[in-house]
Amino acid sequence: AAVFLIGGKSKDVEPTAIFVNSGDAVIMGGHSRLCFHGVPRILEGSCEELARFLHDSPSKEEKLIGKYLTRSRINMNVRQVIDEKNNFDSSSKEAYPRPASIATKKEFKQ
């Protein structure tokens, strides 16, 4: 679990803190895609089940990964790449239709 902060397009906007659990995804689109954001804090021990599983492994590498996961996060970014044929006007509201949202593990399973 972690604290995710999302602010505005400038650092003058006070960010909103959102609690996210391990396995949640933050989806940013629309104007939120251009906002300052970050993860200032990982809640230590929030990934204990996986960390314990890896720590108990006979593999030295898996033990190291388990230790890493007790105090760190894995970040994945997926971005759409537009080629010249499919270019669009980025100032259009249709270009980025989705605001920021959180998807939980439970929602992914449905």
Side-chain angles (χ1 to χ4, degrees):
V3 175
F4 176 80
L5 295 177
I6 184 162
K9 291 183 181 179
S10 78
K11 291 188 176 182
D12 296 330
V13 176
E14 186 174 339
T16 299
I18 301 168
F19 179 83
V20 291
N21 287 298
S22 296
D24 288 355
V26 178
I27 302 168
M28 297 176 66
H31 297 289
S32 68
R33 187 178 85 48
L34 305 174
C35 294
F36 284 93
H37 59 281
V39 177
R41 180 147 191 232
I42 304 299
L43 303 180
E44 193 167 333
S46 61
C47 191
E48 285 298 315
E49 187 176 325
L50 178 59
R52 200 169 26 255
F53 171 78
L54 291 170
H55 186 269
D56 292 342
S57 168
S59 164
K60 182 179 179 180
E61 290 82 9
E62 288 181 356
K63 286 180 188 273
L64 290 172
I65 293 168
K67 185 175 181 181
Y68 173 82
L69 289 176
T70 62
R71 61 187 182 285
S72 304
R73 70 185 177 111
I74 298 173
N75 182 41
M76 297 184 340
N77 288 296
V78 179
R79 293 188 170 95
Q80 182 178 17
V81 177
I82 304 296
D83 61 25
E84 291 177 17
K85 293 179 185 177
N86 297 317
N87 199 4
F88 57 82
D89 177 9
S90 63
S91 65
S92 164
K93 287 184 179 179
E94 286 75 33
Y96 309 109
R98 185 190 305 228
S101 60
I102 305 292
T104 65
K105 287 188 284 188
K106 183 179 179 183
E107 291 170 324
F108 285 130
K109 291 178 184 178
Q110 293 178 355

